Amino acid sequence: MVEQIKIVHSSTVQQVADGLVAMILSGGLKPGERLRESLLADNLGLSRNTIREAVRIVQAGGLIRHRANQGAIVWDPTDAEIMDVYNARYHLETTAARSISESTSMDEVHAAMEEFRAVLKSGDPFKIVEKDLAVHSAIVGLLGSQKLRTFYQQLVTELRYFMFVLSIENHEYEDPDTLEAEHQNIVDALDSRDPVLAEKVIADTIIQYRESIREIIAQRH
């Protein structure tokens, strides 16, 4: 159960937290599963206080929730929570698309797209998800607001979880050409400097993924 948690020379608490996140994202810990701190502590040879602090870090990121009489539980998102996350994403990214003009620099978006393209053929879902999120963060960056960008980063933990669910259920990363074409379509729409076209392409993409994740989570329930 704990093979993904490796103890090296940096903060032990942070390493445990990172390992728990990896287990949740990869499916090693299932939605709704209770985290048994005493069992984790025994398996890792660490104190319960260390495990408890690590759980708090992950909980702050949204992947663990506290439930009365049960303690720490792996996040099992409701449909309302999915809609909330994706609506926030929708408004940020479509607003960025509407802001596009001839003077807008696309350098960061292009750089993020190149990095995404470079990792696609690796087949490593962790790397691909991070670079995928970087493309969308760069799109929000077109707004030129650090506060909005910071807010988007607050969505990233939950978006990352949804993207891993999609990759597991739909085997998306086994088809890198389709993923590349989909993202290139977004970049091309932004490059057109046509805010109406850019908004439509981004809106359609977000809605498509939102409905896919809603269907998958509903089937799990």
Side-chain angles (χ1 to χ4, degrees):
M1 177 179 174
V2 296
E3 291 81 3
Q4 295 183 50
I5 302 178
K6 306 297 183 183
I7 307 301
V8 289
H9 293 297
S10 58
S11 164
T12 301
V13 169
Q14 186 61 54
Q15 289 174 74
V16 174
D18 291 344
L20 290 171
V21 169
M23 292 170 70
I24 293 169
L25 295 180
S26 66
L29 287 168
K30 305 298 184 185
E33 184 174 343
R34 180 183 174 190
L35 272 76
R36 301 183 182 278
E37 295 177 0
S38 59
L39 181 60
L40 284 169
D42 289 344
N43 286 342
L44 292 170
L46 298 171
S47 71
R48 288 192 65 178
N49 282 339
T50 298
I51 301 300
R52 191 171 295 115
E53 287 302 313
V55 169
R56 286 174 181 164
I57 291 173
V58 182
Q59 185 173 344
L63 291 183
I64 290 175
R65 308 295 166 96
H66 188 274
R67 189 176 296 169
N69 302 320
Q70 290 184 287
I73 302 292
V74 177
W75 185 38
D76 187 11
T78 64
D79 189 65
E81 288 174 318
I82 296 169
M83 289 294 293
D84 195 28
V85 171
Y86 273 88
N87 284 345
R89 177 185 182 181
Y90 179 95
H91 288 300
L92 283 172
E93 294 193 37
T94 56
T95 300
R98 287 197 302 273
S99 75
I100 201 80
S101 69
E102 292 297 331
S103 63
T104 303
S105 172
M106 287 285 293
D107 290 350
E108 185 182 357
V109 174
H110 289 157
M113 182 62 199
E114 286 305 310
E115 291 183 5
F116 178 61
R117 185 179 287 112
V119 302
L120 272 174
K121 298 191 187 304
S122 71
D124 184 331
F126 284 91
K127 292 180 180 178
I128 294 171
V129 163
E130 292 308 315
K131 295 305 180 183
D132 190 334
L133 286 166
V135 171
H136 293 281
S137 180
I139 291 170
V140 174
L142 296 174
L143 290 167
S145 168
Q146 187 57 48
K147 287 190 178 295
L148 288 176
R149 191 164 198 162
T150 299
F151 175 72
Y152 189 82
Q153 290 305 310
Q154 294 173 8
L155 300 175
V156 161
T157 298
E158 293 164 332
L159 287 172
R160 185 185 289 117
Y161 173 78
F162 292 139
M163 291 167 75
F164 269 99
V165 170
L166 286 169
S167 72
I168 292 167
E169 297 287 342
N170 295 348
H171 305 283
E172 289 186 335
Y173 299 129
E174 296 173 13
D175 186 8
D177 292 339
T178 297
L179 271 180
E180 180 179 350
E182 182 180 87
H183 285 72
Q184 189 60 55
N185 188 40
I186 293 172
V187 174
D188 289 344
L190 292 167
D191 278 335
S192 74
R193 311 291 171 159
D194 180 344
V196 175
L197 173 63
E199 180 181 5
K200 182 180 186 309
V201 170
I202 288 175
D204 288 349
T205 301
I206 293 173
I207 291 171
Q208 174 190 337
Y209 277 98
R210 184 192 70 195
E211 294 310 301
S212 292
I213 193 65
R214 290 179 72 197
E215 181 179 352
I216 289 169
I217 297 298
Q219 289 172 349
R220 287 185 172 186
H221 288 162

